[in-house]
Amino acid sequence: MNNRYKLSSYVVVTDLIDANTSSDPWRIVYATRTGRTMKLKDRIYRHLVAGDFARISESTLIELMSLEVIVRADEDEFEEVLRQNIAALENSKTLDVTIQPTANCQLGCTYCGQVHQKKNVDTETSVKITDRICGNLVRGQYEALSVEWFGGEPLMAFSEILRMSDRLIGFCADKGIRYDARMITNGLSFKPAVFQQLLEKQVTHFQITLDGLGKTHDLMRITKEGAKTFDIILKNIVDVTSLPEYMERRCSILVRINVNERSVKTLFKLIDLLASHGLQHKRVRIDFAPIVDWGGNNAQKDSLTADGFGVAEIDWMMYAIKKGFTFGRVVPNKKIGPCMVVKPDSEVYDAGGNIYPCYEYPYTPKYETPEYRIGHVDSIDTVRNADAVTKNWFTDIKGDISPCKRCNLFPVCGGGCPKQWYNGDVACPSYKYNIEDKLVLDYLINKKGFVERYRDNPAQDPAQDPARTAA
Ligand code: SF4
Ligand code: SF4
């Protein structure tokens, strides 16, 4: 056994979680090859690290092997995980596409890298886009289509979205293909009547950004004319989530909070405000994201350091949990790729009919040159750039473009954001910097009664909580 097996490189282990209260303490072991966690006695963990498998009971060994904490000794784990990911993507039966039907947006966010124009997709181009998607569905024998509407601000092309949705939904219904859609919107036009029409077109999940409380948000997310937007967007979210059909159809809204030195100061108050509207009970979730460079605009200059963000994120999450918000699973699940750029037929379509691999490329001057484009709907059947930047991620990751091949989080991460690595930036997600804290938080959340006790203690300061100190 000892010679044939080894401790996987794809393992994260916490410090002792009960060192103060137990003479036989535990750790949490996170096997990133399966995305699963287990509690393990420290004394067994020490046998594991020493390769002394003979001193571990058979039942524990079986569990460790099923989690892929222990793997075959002769296996090149990076190559094996990559091979499995490529095979899983080739066999995927869901086609993911992003449609950016307008180059227009009412906002002029300070960190946005796009250059906007009053241009919506015209009818002829929109038909070519939907024909292209339908053709890919048939050629790839897909069983499901998942559409993301993005922009500019997608609701500036509202009627185009309704018409394109009709064509795609009709085609999928005819062919017995499942259909779902979601939208990233700035929320300014997200009125109940708009939501109701989108719901008819099966758009059920939305992402809307609020960058801190009122005045702070209004410093970063103003209209092009300089008008404030926070109150309008928040009212829209509250009004939409109050509609019975929002809950009945199991819709959801992800409130994205872009964090920099400014917005960080009002983050707890923003969470308080969202909770005061009862949004934690309305399938509204919160996501914290650092502001990064967008097409060479240096937007990250006021961001927290990656480490600083990682530490603070745990406190924000705990505070939000205390207020009743949920985060699904706090630690990431196993992932077969970083994002849509590695999926063979996944494409991004802009209002001019250009086809890209990544949704941050359209309308951004840095990415206007041909190497960033897969092609154009007019000529894609004959001219296709299979080497558009990011498309060769699975080959390039074996080289020096990033440290991913040496990272123990690779099976749950896939490589962060490939676009950033190709730009020479570091693209690790925040859990690179706080995974041990997240493991402890995940453990506590799953402990029966913990969340209720935590919420019921109004005096508790998140920074002083046992979940922070245990790690
Ligand atoms: S992006 Fe960062 S965290 Fe993800 S696999 Fe690469 S090095 Fe690891
Ligand atoms: S490369 Fe980065 S920005 Fe582009 S789709 Fe992937 S994660 Fe998003």
Side-chain angles (χ1 to χ4, degrees), residues 321-324 449-460:
I321 289 168
K322 191 176 173 64
K323 293 288 169 181
F450 168 77
V451 170
E452 290 70 23
R453 281 199 307 281
Y454 184 62
R455 284 190 194 138
D456 289 346
N457 184 352
Q460 214 165 19

Side-chain angles (χ1 to χ4, degrees), residues 56-174:
I56 302 176
S57 74
E58 192 180 334
S59 61
T60 304
L61 281 175
I62 289 171
E63 194 179 354
L64 290 166
M65 288 168 80
S66 92
L67 259 68
E68 299 186 41
V69 172
I70 293 177
V71 295
R72 278 200 350 254
D74 60 357
E75 191 173 82
D76 180 329
E77 288 194 88
F78 174 71
E79 287 292 341
E80 176 58 18
V81 171
L82 205 55
R83 188 195 62 73
Q84 288 175 8
N85 288 354
I86 292 168
L89 282 163
E90 279 169 359
N91 293 327
S92 169
K93 290 291 163 209
T94 300
L95 176 63
D96 293 292
V97 299
T98 298
I99 306 175
Q100 303 189 210
T102 176
N104 199 2
C105 180
Q106 318 94 314
L107 301 198
C109 303
T110 50
Y111 47 75
C112 180
Q114 293 184 343
V115 173
H116 298 132
Q117 303 171 43
K118 290 187 176 152
K119 176 177 172 48
N120 287 2
V121 64
D122 60 43
T123 305
E124 192 187 340
T125 305
S126 83
V127 169
K128 286 179 181 168
I129 292 172
T130 50
D131 283 353
R132 167 75 182 162
I133 295 169
C134 296
N136 279 344
L137 283 168
V138 172
R139 275 187 292 276
Q141 300 183 314
Y142 287 98
E143 293 168 4
L145 172 63
S146 190
V147 175
E148 179 159 277
W149 298 102
F150 184 40
E153 164 49 35
L155 292 177
M156 301 295 281
F158 185 50
S159 46
E160 288 85 348
I161 290 173
L162 300 184
R163 284 196 292 270
M164 292 173 88
S165 296
D166 279 340
R167 291 201 292 273
L168 292 171
I169 291 169
F171 181 85
C172 288
D174 278 354

